[in-house]
Amino acid sequence: QVQLVESGGGLVQPGGSLRLSCAASGTIYAINYIGWYRQAPGKQRELVATITNDGRTNYADSVKGRFTISRDNAKNTGYLQMNSLKPEDTAVYFCNAGVISVTSSYYWGQGTQVTVSS
């Protein structure tokens, strides 16, 4: 059984920073990719950033230059560094990972609330 646990969300003022973490636990042989998604009330879930096992990254246009995705393979953990936060970044942020275990599958975290407000 694989589980993703997210942390780091909270309330921050515009222009502030947060770092989200996504820690995977269970029987894990490798993690092919980690993705961060977000969903605001009344809107569809959107891709924020992804990172593959070879370090390739992709970002939504709305966060390029402000957010950075990274990973620590030794800790089975992914990160999303969020700088220069804007009110429109307010959403529930979800971690998604492609995990090679006894079998391979995709897993979602529970989501963590990020609120950017003055």
Side-chain angles (χ1 to χ4, degrees), residues 18-118:
L18 288 172
R19 189 174 80 155
L20 306 183
S21 298
C22 175
S25 62
T27 303
I28 300 171
Y29 303 141
I31 300 177
N32 280 337
Y33 100 101
I34 299 171
W36 287 95
Y37 297 75
R38 66 186 182 186
Q39 187 167 22
K43 299 180 65 177
Q44 65 182 21
R45 185 173 298 183
E46 65 174 347
L47 175 67
V48 176
T50 63
I51 185 168
T52 63
N53 58 351
D54 59 354
R56 290 177 293 163
T57 59
N58 286 283
Y59 297 92
D61 289 340
S62 59
V63 307
K64 286 181 179 178
R66 299 189 297 120
F67 292 9
T68 302
I69 188 171
S70 62
R71 60 190 293 169
D72 186 333
N73 292 336
K75 297 180 179 180
N76 288 325
T77 300
Y79 305 95
L80 185 68
Q81 179 66 47
M82 309 164 65
N83 298 327
S84 301
L85 284 162
K86 305 174 180 179
E88 50 263 44
D89 295 319
T90 295
V92 178
Y93 284 70
F94 298 91
C95 178
N96 184 60
V99 178
I100 299 176
S101 183
V102 178
T103 62
S104 62
S105 186
Y106 297 97
Y107 297 87
W108 288 94
Q110 78 286 352
T112 184
Q113 177 71 47
V114 172
T115 302
V116 184
S117 176
S118 59

